[in-house]
Every structure is written in structure tokens, then in C-alpha cells.
Amino acid sequence: MEADFLATVLLSSLSSASILLIATIGLAVVFGLMGVINLAHGEFLMIGAYTALTATQAGVPYLLAIPIAVVVTMAIGALVEVLIISRLYGRIFDTMLATWGISIAFYQLAVLTFGTVSPGIGMPQISVKIGDYSLALYPLLMNVVALLILGFVYLLMTRSIYGMKARASIQVPEMARAIGISSARVNTMTFALGCGLAGFAGAVLLPIVPATPSMGFAFVIKAFLTVVVAGPVTLTGSAFAAIGLGGGASVTASFLTSVAGDAFFFIVTALLLWRFPLGISARWRRKL
Amino acid sequence: MTLSQRIYRSSAWLLPAIAVAMALVLSFFIDPYLAFLGASWVIFGLLGLSLDIVWGRGGFLSLGQTAFFGLGGYLGAIAAVNFGPVIGNTLLPTLPIAALFGGLCAGVMGSLIFFARMGPLQATILSYTFTLLLWSVTQSLKFTVGDAVVGGDNGMSGIPGMVIGFGPDARALAPNGVFAVCVIVAALAYFATLALMRSTFGRVVDCIRLDIQKTELLGYDVRLVQVANMVWAGAVAGIAGGLFALWSNYLNPSLFSVQEALLPPIHVLVGGLGTLAGPFVGALTIGGLSFWLGGGAAGGQTTLILGVVLVLLVLFLRNGILGALDQLWRRFLPDPNAAARDAGEVRINVDDLDRILRDAEAQVGPAKPMETDQAYKQFGGVIPVNKVSRSFVPGRPMALIGPNGAGKSSYLKTCVGVYQPEGGQVTIGDIDVTNAPIFRRVRLGMGVKNQKPQVFGALSVYDNLWTAAYARTRDKAKASDVAGRILAMLGMTAQSGVEAQALSHGQQQWLDIGMVLCLAPRVVLLDEPAAGMTNEETRELSLLVRTLARHTTVVVVEHDMEFVRTLEGHVTVLHQGEVFAEGDIDSLRADERVLDIYLGRRQHV
């Protein structure tokens, strides 16, 4: 009985960590490759969720709605980058303020378009039994999705031409420009990719987290903290931080309340930043 | 001085004073509803001021000012509910407690951020998530303190209004009176802040924003100053929160919401970042606009409009209303930097310099040796400093040379304290400073001139020197004396009032060296001082370094062999992080092994 409970808590905490990782990875990509934090990340997640929801309501199968959400958020992200972010390179405070303005504007647009409550989509009601406890299958599935998305980003960064250019631009910007890499285009692509990953997260989490205009704010506390704790090494850093912080918060939340989980998250983050002021991976030699 | 110049110089207090007087007069006439709204604009101006202190002056974008505002408001309201009925007056218990609590919370957050030396991005995100966390925590936080009931998302109601009388008969003020009280409190906070920012404390705050490393290299403990600045800003935000509680009689968690947190940056940007008065102008403009536009179609979409406005402000109106007016006004004033154009070449007055160095020695004691014992620094697989043991003594210049990548600069950074060595020991005099922060080494007598000129661009030449001199003397009169003498020695008296950023590259180098001399250092570290200098300037520099070495320990890292030769000093050759050879320059020039590593012949590479 005790062991069952513990296993349940551990499994669901692992799922929480994976969900956090899925929601964070786009933010981490933008931070790692462009050095800025996209404060509108949560709203791109929300846009992804609403796109998937609208598509399924229009009769598109859910699995097909996910890529649609990715494409839509990527397009919006690219537009935002070209129109706004690209004018603010090198001004990180201004970039944060601008994306913050975008965040709040998107939020209000969503309120206007969809209202404050909206129906969720039916979650596949399959569950797994562990002793006396049963766990829903879909959140468990998120562990697999998190691994897949990590693998995807890893392959994209190491195997694609875009990934090579992006990594070259962040490591030695002058040299990258000297050999003809257009950093503006790489940045647009990176930002769009980050937004697309946010959109993917919103869509794929739709069965667990129903689309609401304010859903972004619920995610961003943990996502932002994960990214600053992780530091500049996108993949490994975020994976470590998400599992440690997300898992820890989820364990705390299951014994106490979800607010206590958030508070745990914040306090541990503050302590970690005290020890590693630029993130845990700031001094790592690996760059991915 | 023309009338325009005089008004311009005193505009920071004169114009706000006039505005305050006008507002107080108006408070007798205006419509009560407008007074009610006006009070809230003043309160938000005060909140904006708190952000301007940390961001416009301190250089840290805090998105947590509404958190200190809300926390101050809540605690102030609890005080008002409990003490108000007892003594009658509600301002007296509310505002000090709100200020204290706001300052305390800001102090805790500031200590965390600044003592850990977090990056700007990390710091901003931490402050933002703190606000968001409070938003969710306060939704479910329910407790009672005496008569005060904090009711989670139901908020806290029954907060008394503003009462300035005492005793049981005292009545709450009408809206016009509330407006007047807010104006007076805001004015007090503004003028106190203005005085603080014009004091030496404010000078150091400005220097930290302009160049934090240089400020620390002058011997200021930048972390303490940053935290103190944050505490002051938190207290101002707390006072604003206390006023807000008494104004609205009701508080709820939406104080901590994103929509609320968005307001201070907008007000600051509209009014003008770093101007202190700007946030009030911004709050009045935004508040006034939404009032005149009314609650129609535009009024319902405030959030959307605010978001878009923020993006547009960041993109197009960086200086805000006051910043734009300032630029316009300055066009009609004489250019303070005109003197920069007539600056001739620098000629060091050796007699003056000698006298200055003698006086410094009389004041702060003899030169100190600097030593490293087995100093070791590693970055991954690269070892730029490999067990270097060296002793630097006064008498003649000690030069460090070596081919590119020899570890010269890394070694110097280990001595300065920019890098913490993994092994070995660094001492100044007899004191172990291996893990001491930079400013402590400077206070022990270290003076550092980095390769690029580090001057505070927005400050005048004289103020640059004065700030350096004050760091050591901690006495305004002595600092003025020292700064004046160094200025004369450099022959830059005519450029005294010029902004340092208007100087040429070479002159900035001299100014930087002058700032180092203001510290009366006992050990001077110069990193490639001749870089980017003309032949004449290099000759003057060589003279200065040789004179300096008669009185203090001087370590020069240099590339330019000709310059090193003119120093006639002791030379150490570094190669691959280790001491390779030493002696005077002529014997090293005859050394085949040294020639090998410089020319890249096969044997020793």
C-alpha cells in the first residue's frame, strides 16, 4: 500500500516534470541560442492550444491538429521576430518588455475572441492501475513525448544546416558572419522554432490543460524559473532543471498544496541562483 | 550664465515644486470625482518612481515593484484597521509600516540578486516570477490579524480612509483632501529621492549603471550600494501601497496581477527613464488619457491597449516625454563638450606627478609588494595560469610579456580578482587576497587600468576623477583637492566640465590613468596601457610609468616591445601559462629561446 502510493507519486511527478519540460523547451531554445527570454512564451502556448482546439472542433482529427498548431505559432513567431525583436538586438531589457507587451496583448485578444472559459477536449479515458491507485494514461504518455521532443531538438541542432548555423552564430558570432551566415535569418528561424515548440506544447497538453486565455500565466512561472536555473546549455541544462525542479515541486504539491509546490519551486530556484548566478550550466563545457 | 541655463540646471527641483504647488491649489477647486482619480494617478506615479530608482538609476529592470507595493499596502492596511480606531489618525500607523515592509522585502530580494551577482536576465525573471507567485499565493491566503481580515481572493475590505486628525472624533478626508495628502506624500518622497540621487550615494548608483566593474575597481562595494538602492525603492513602493490601501479602502490579489505589474514600466517609459519626475508625468498622461477617452470602446480594452503601448514605447519612444523635452532644451544651451575639441596633446608634468605621489605616500604609507605563489587557473582543458610564482616590488617597472595566448591577461585577471584561482595564493603586502572580492583588494592599495579605457561616459571629466578620489578619501573636501591636482597634472583643466564620452580614445586612456592615480594605489596593474596610443602619447606614458615605479609597485602587461624597452624595468616572459624567462630586456633580446617562442620556431612551441 505504502509502496503503491510512493510509486504513484513518483510516476505522476515524473509526468509533471515531463510536462514542464515540454512546456519549457521552446523557451530554452530561444534563451540558449538568442540570449533573450521570450515573456510571451506562455501566450504562444495558449495560441497553440486554441489552434488545436479550433481545429478539432472543425472536425480535424486531434493528431493532425497538433502540426497545424505548430505551423500557426511558428508563423506568428516569425512575424513577431521580424517586426519587433529584430529591432531590439543587444537590448535585453527592452526585448523582455516588448515580449511582455505582446504577451498581455495576445492574452486580451484571446479573451475577446474566445471568452474566458472554453470546453476542453475529451481526454482518452484510459488509466493504469498500480495497486489500489489508478493513473491516467495520457500524462504518463507525456514522458515519451518529452523524450521525443528532446531527441528532435538534438537532431535538429546537430544534423540540420539550420542547427549548425544557429550554434555557430551563438558560439563565435563574428566568425559566423564572416563565413556568410546571416544571423538575422537564423534568429528569425530560432524564434519561430521556439514559438512553434510552445505551440506544440499547448496542443499536445490540450487533453490535460484546457485552453483558457490565462493558461499561459499558469505555465510561465515554472517555465521561466526552469530556464534561468538551467542556464545557457539548452537541452541538457533544461532537462536537468525540469526534472529536478518540476519533479520536486510535484512531489511537494502532492503532499501539500499546489501553491506550496509553486513556492517550493521559487525558493529552490532562488537558492540555486544564489549558488549559480548565471544558471547551473553556465560553466559547462558542452553547449547543447 | 543665461536665465535658460539657470532654469535648466535647477529644473529637477524647480519645475516639480511648481507642479506640486499648482496641484495643491487645484485640490481646493477640482471636481471631487476628478480629485479621486487624480489621487490614484499620483499614487501610481509614486510606484513608477520606485521603478525608476532601481531601473533608470540602478540599471536593474525589476518587474517586482508591484509586489513591494502590494505587500506594503496589505501590511499598511492591517495596521490601519487595528490602530486607526485607537488613535484616530490612519496615515501615521499605515505609511511607516508600509514603507518598512516594502523596504524589507525589497532588501531580501535585492540581497539575493546582488550578493549572488546574478545576471540581469536572471534577476529580472526572478523579480517577475516573485510577483506572479504572490498573485497565486494570495488567492488562497486567509488569515486574521486583530480586527483585520485578509480573505484570500475575496480581498481585504473595511480599510479605513485617510484620517489626519486624532482622537475618536476625527473624520476621514473628502476626495479633495485625499488628493492633497497624496500630492504632499509623493512630493516628500520625490524630493528625498532627488536629494539622495544627488548625494555621493546617488553618484555611485549612477556609476554602477554606467560601468559596474570600474565602480568596483575604484574600491566601492557595489553590492551594498545596489541593495541599499533597492531597499529605498522598495520603501517608496511600500508607501505608494499604503496610500493606495487608504485611498481604495479595499485590497485584493489583483494587486499582484500581470496587468498591474505592467503599469510601472509603462509610466516610467512614457515619462522618461531615469528622470525621477518622469513616472509622475507618465502616470498623469496615461491616467488622464484613459479618463478623457472615457470608458467606451477604448476603456474596456485597457489591457490590450497597454500591451500594445508598451511594445510601441520600447520600439519608438526610448526617452519618454521628459527625455524628449530635455533633448530639445539642450539644443538651445551652449554645448558643454565644446572644450573637448580644443584639447591638445597630453603633456605629463613630472614635477607635479612626483609631488602627488610623495603626498600619497605620506597619506597611505609606502608601496606594497604583490606576490603570487603557485597561482593556478584552469578553464576546461586550457590552463592559462600554470603555477606562476612571482614577486613584484617597487623601484622599477615590472613588465610581463609573452606571445599571444601566453596567459598574460589571465594572470593579471587572477591578480585583480576577476578570476578566482583554483590553487595557489595571491598576496598584497602581507595580506592574503586569493579569494577576496575586487573592491577589497583595491582598498588594500591595488590600482588597475584595463586595456580599454574605462570611464563613466555620462559624467564630466572632473566628476570621474572626484568619484575615484572620494572612493579612497571618503571626504568631499579632500576628494576635491586630489581630483583638482590630478586634473592639473594631466593638463586637462580646460576639459574639466566635458563629458568623458566626448573625449578622444587617447584622452579617455589618460583620464582612466588619472582615476587610478586618484586612488593613491600602492600596487598598480596596467594591462596594455600603450594600446591605441600615438608615438608621442606612448613616450609620455613611459615617463609616467617610470616616475610611478619610483614610488609604487608597477606591473605592466604589454605587447609593444619598444615600449617595454623604454621602461628600463624588469621583464618576465610568460609562455603557455608558465614563467618562461626573466631579466632585463636586452638580455632577453639576446636569448635564443625567447626569440623562438616569439618567432614561432619549432623547438619550444
Side-chain angles (χ1 to χ4, degrees):
Chain A
M1 161 84 190
E2 271 302 303
D4 293 350
F5 178 66
L6 219 58
T8 318
V9 167
L10 276 181
L11 267 179
S12 66
S13 296
L14 192 64
S15 306
S16 302
S18 292
I19 289 168
L20 179 62
L21 188 62
I22 294 168
T24 308
I25 190 79
L27 193 66
V29 165
V30 172
F31 175 55
L33 294 178
M34 290 173 72
V36 298
I37 292 235
N38 174 13
L39 287 186
H41 180 77
E43 280 57 46
F44 279 100
L45 204 139
M46 178 262 295
I47 293 172
Y50 269 113
T51 311
L53 177 67
T54 314
T56 42
Q57 281 170 345
V60 179
Y62 175 58
L63 276 181
L64 208 62
I66 296 177
I68 294 177
V70 173
V71 170
V72 168
T73 45
M74 276 187 86
I76 299 176
L79 203 65
V80 164
E81 208 281 339
V82 171
L83 289 182
I84 298 167
I85 313 294
S86 62
R87 296 163 189 262
L88 300 172
Y89 290 159
R91 290 157 55 185
I92 57 167
F93 285 154
D94 287 345
T95 311
M96 280 197 271
L97 284 176
T99 52
W100 197 24
I102 295 165
S103 138
I104 202 90
F106 280 174
Y107 159 77
Q108 186 70 12
L109 281 175
V111 172
L112 287 178
T113 321
F114 301 103
T116 46
V117 280
S118 56
I121 70 164
M123 175 162 149
Q125 291 296 334
I126 309 167
S127 43
V128 192
K129 274 211 171 283
I130 298 177
D132 297 341
Y133 301 89
S134 71
L135 277 175
L137 181 69
Y138 198 80
L140 287 178
L141 209 60
M142 289 302 110
N143 293 317
V144 182
V145 173
L147 279 179
L148 285 177
I149 200 81
L150 276 179
F152 167 74
V153 174
Y154 179 79
L155 286 180
L156 189 70
M157 287 301 150
T158 52
R159 295 280 185 275
S160 75
I161 293 173
Y162 153 75
M164 305 262 188
K165 285 183 175 176
R167 280 160 55 223
S169 300
I170 191 75
Q171 285 184 21
V172 194
E174 294 82 14
M175 192 61 207
R177 272 197 298 278
I179 60 171
I181 296 173
S182 154
S183 57
R185 274 178 56 192
V186 170
N187 279 336
T188 307
M189 186 59 207
T190 304
F191 197 81
L193 174 69
C195 295
L197 286 169
F200 172 78
V204 84
L205 297 177
L206 191 58
I208 311 173
V209 188
T212 60
S214 63
M215 68 185 288
F217 298 122
F219 270 106
V220 288
I221 300 186
K222 283 179 182 168
F224 287 159
L225 292 176
T226 306
V227 166
V228 293
V229 164
V233 181
T234 312
L235 285 182
T236 336
S238 329
F240 265 104
I243 292 169
L245 287 170
S250 173
V251 172
T252 317
S254 46
F255 284 106
L256 298 163
T257 63
S258 73
V259 173
D262 278 1
F264 163 87
F265 207 105
F266 181 80
I267 291 165
V268 173
T269 300
L271 293 178
L272 280 172
L273 281 177
W274 174 263
R275 178 72 188 77
F276 305 98
L278 298 174
I280 53 173
S281 67
R283 283 158 173 252
W284 291 1
R285 289 195 71 208
R286 60 175 304 128
K287 297 289 176 216
L288 210 63
Chain B
M1 196 181 282
T2 62
L3 181 66
S4 172
Q5 265 174 299
R6 268 186 220 177
I7 299 178
Y8 180 78
R9 294 192 117 200
S10 47
S11 57
W13 61 268
L14 185 65
L15 301 184
I18 294 173
V20 168
M22 277 166 52
L24 289 180
V25 171
L26 276 177
S27 73
F28 289 100
F29 304 109
I30 51 175
D31 174 62
Y33 180 62
L34 187 60
F36 175 75
L37 286 180
S40 77
W41 302 340
V42 175
I43 292 170
F44 280 112
L46 196 56
L47 174 59
L49 172 65
S50 89
L51 176 64
D52 204 21
I53 295 168
V54 282
W55 182 26
R57 291 308 181 111
F60 154 50
L61 171 58
S62 160
L63 300 183
Q65 295 312 107
T66 47
F68 311 132
F69 172 80
L71 289 169
Y74 262 104
L75 209 71
I78 291 173
V81 170
N82 285 301
F83 299 119
V86 184
I87 58 170
N89 189 309
T90 55
L91 287 172
L92 225 48
T94 305
L95 297 189
I97 284 186
L100 275 178
F101 195 56
L104 180 77
C105 295
V108 172
M109 166 148 294
S111 307
L112 203 64
I113 289 172
F114 297 122
F115 276 94
R117 298 184 191 253
M118 274 178 211
L121 220 136
Q122 285 77 7
T124 300
I125 291 299
L126 200 66
S127 68
Y128 183 45
T129 44
F130 177 64
T131 314
L132 289 179
L133 184 70
L134 276 178
W135 192 17
S136 74
V137 167
T138 46
Q139 306 277 353
S140 54
L141 197 64
K142 293 183 185 174
F143 61 91
T144 308
V145 183
D147 297 331
V149 181
V150 178
D153 51 3
N154 291 324
M156 178 176 176
S157 51
I159 303 167
M162 283 187 200
V163 185
I164 50 172
F166 287 91
D169 299 332
R171 289 274 160 270
L173 289 171
N176 289 51
V178 171
F179 174 68
V181 167
C182 289
V183 168
I184 291 170
V185 173
L188 289 176
Y190 170 78
F191 287 112
T193 304
L194 187 65
L196 188 72
M197 287 301 144
R198 294 190 158 190
S199 69
T200 46
F201 174 82
R203 167 72 60 78
V204 180
V205 169
D206 284 340
C207 287
I208 289 173
R209 182 187 73 245
L210 295 169
D211 187 338
I212 184 165
Q213 192 194 38
K214 181 65 182 177
T215 313
E216 184 156 10
L217 282 175
L218 295 180
Y220 290 108
D221 185 350
V222 292
R223 307 166 302 176
L224 267 184
V225 175
Q226 285 176 305
V227 172
N229 194 46
M230 184 92 181
V231 168
W232 179 264
V236 170
I239 291 173
L243 285 176
F244 183 80
L246 299 179
W247 170 81
S248 75
N249 310 116
Y250 171 72
L251 294 178
N252 73 13
S254 71
L255 278 179
F256 304 108
S257 69
V258 181
Q259 288 88 331
E260 196 81 8
L262 205 60
L263 290 173
I266 289 181
H267 293 156
V268 169
L269 284 174
V270 168
L273 182 63
T275 55
L276 301 183
F280 293 99
V281 175
L284 199 71
T285 311
I286 297 283
L289 274 180
S290 51
F291 174 65
W292 299 122
L293 291 176
Q301 300 317 325
T302 327
T303 317
L304 180 61
I305 293 168
L306 286 180
V308 175
V309 162
L310 183 59
V311 175
L312 294 177
L313 281 173
V314 169
L315 284 178
F316 301 112
L317 191 75
R318 199 64 231 288
N319 295 319
I321 295 173
L322 289 191
L325 285 178
D326 180 73
Q327 276 180 342
L328 194 69
W329 198 344
R330 273 156 70 122
R331 253 190 237 168
F332 297 98
L333 296 174
D335 180 8
N337 297 332
R341 288 188 281 276
D342 341 311
E345 268 168 25
V346 173
R347 283 258 174 271
I348 297 295
N349 186 327
V350 180
D351 293 337
D352 274 3
L353 177 61
D354 211 60
R355 223 169 294 128
I356 288 168
L357 292 172
R358 259 177 230 292
D359 286 356
E361 195 165 348
Q363 282 174 25
V364 294
K368 288 180 183 172
M370 187 173 82
E371 244 174 272
T372 63
D373 183 26
Q374 300 280 311
Y376 182 82
K377 179 73 203 170
Q378 184 174 5
F379 289 110
V382 185
I383 305 169
V385 183
N386 195 358
K387 300 190 175 162
V388 178
S389 298
R390 218 66 306 243
S391 175
F392 302 101
V393 290
R396 54 183 190 150
M398 312 283 279
L400 284 172
I401 63 171
N404 270 334
K408 304 182 298 283
S409 284
S410 300
Y411 177 64
L412 203 73
K413 282 180 176 150
T414 311
C415 294
V416 171
V418 175
Y419 293 162
Q420 303 278 321
E422 273 93 37
Q425 207 182 25
V426 182
T427 51
I428 293 177
D430 307 323
I431 298 169
D432 181 2
V433 294
T434 314
N435 294 309
I438 297 174
F439 70 90
R440 196 149 289 141
R441 300 174 196 226
V442 175
R443 289 181 189 176
L444 284 170
M446 180 184 74
V448 181
K449 158 84 188 72
N450 281 318
Q451 188 176 343
K452 283 184 186 155
Q454 282 184 301
V455 294
F456 303 112
L459 299 187
S460 72
V461 167
Y462 178 81
D463 286 346
N464 268 282
L465 293 170
W466 189 90
T467 310
Y470 185 80
R472 167 172 68 92
T473 58
R474 300 277 161 178
D475 180 301
K476 289 184 181 181
K478 279 185 195 162
S480 306
D481 179 51
V482 172
R485 292 175 62 183
I486 302 269
L487 190 67
M489 187 273 292
L490 291 172
M492 294 173 85
T493 318
Q495 284 81 42
S496 155
V498 170
E499 287 177 351
Q501 62 203 6
L503 296 176
S504 69
H505 181 82
Q507 283 174 321
Q508 290 189 5
Q509 293 281 32
W510 286 111
L511 177 57
D512 195 353
I513 292 171
M515 287 166 83
V516 173
L517 291 178
C518 282
L519 300 173
R522 305 294 82 206
V523 185
V524 181
L525 308 178
L526 302 168
D527 190 2
E528 303 204 18
M533 281 194 169
T534 63
N535 285 341
E536 288 76 26
E537 284 173 327
T538 308
R539 260 200 298 281
E540 290 294 314
L541 181 68
S542 169
L543 185 64
L544 180 134
V545 172
R546 276 177 285 150
T547 315
L548 196 56
R550 285 204 288 275
H551 301 275
T552 65
T553 304
V554 180
V555 184
V556 183
V557 168
E558 199 36 90
H559 229 79
D560 180 345
M561 294 299 260
E562 195 48 37
F563 175 68
V564 173
R565 195 185 56 76
T566 64
L567 293 180
E568 297 164 355
H570 183 271
V571 179
T572 304
V573 183
L574 289 180
H575 180 51
Q576 295 184 342
E578 295 177 63
V579 175
F580 186 74
E582 61 178 310
D584 58 39
I585 191 80
D586 292 324
S587 68
L588 291 173
R589 282 189 154 184
D591 189 330
E592 280 291 318
R593 298 183 310 138
V594 175
L595 291 177
D596 280 351
I597 60 166
Y598 263 93
L599 298 174
R601 275 185 275 186
R602 190 169 296 268
Q603 293 88 309
H604 297 278
V605 179

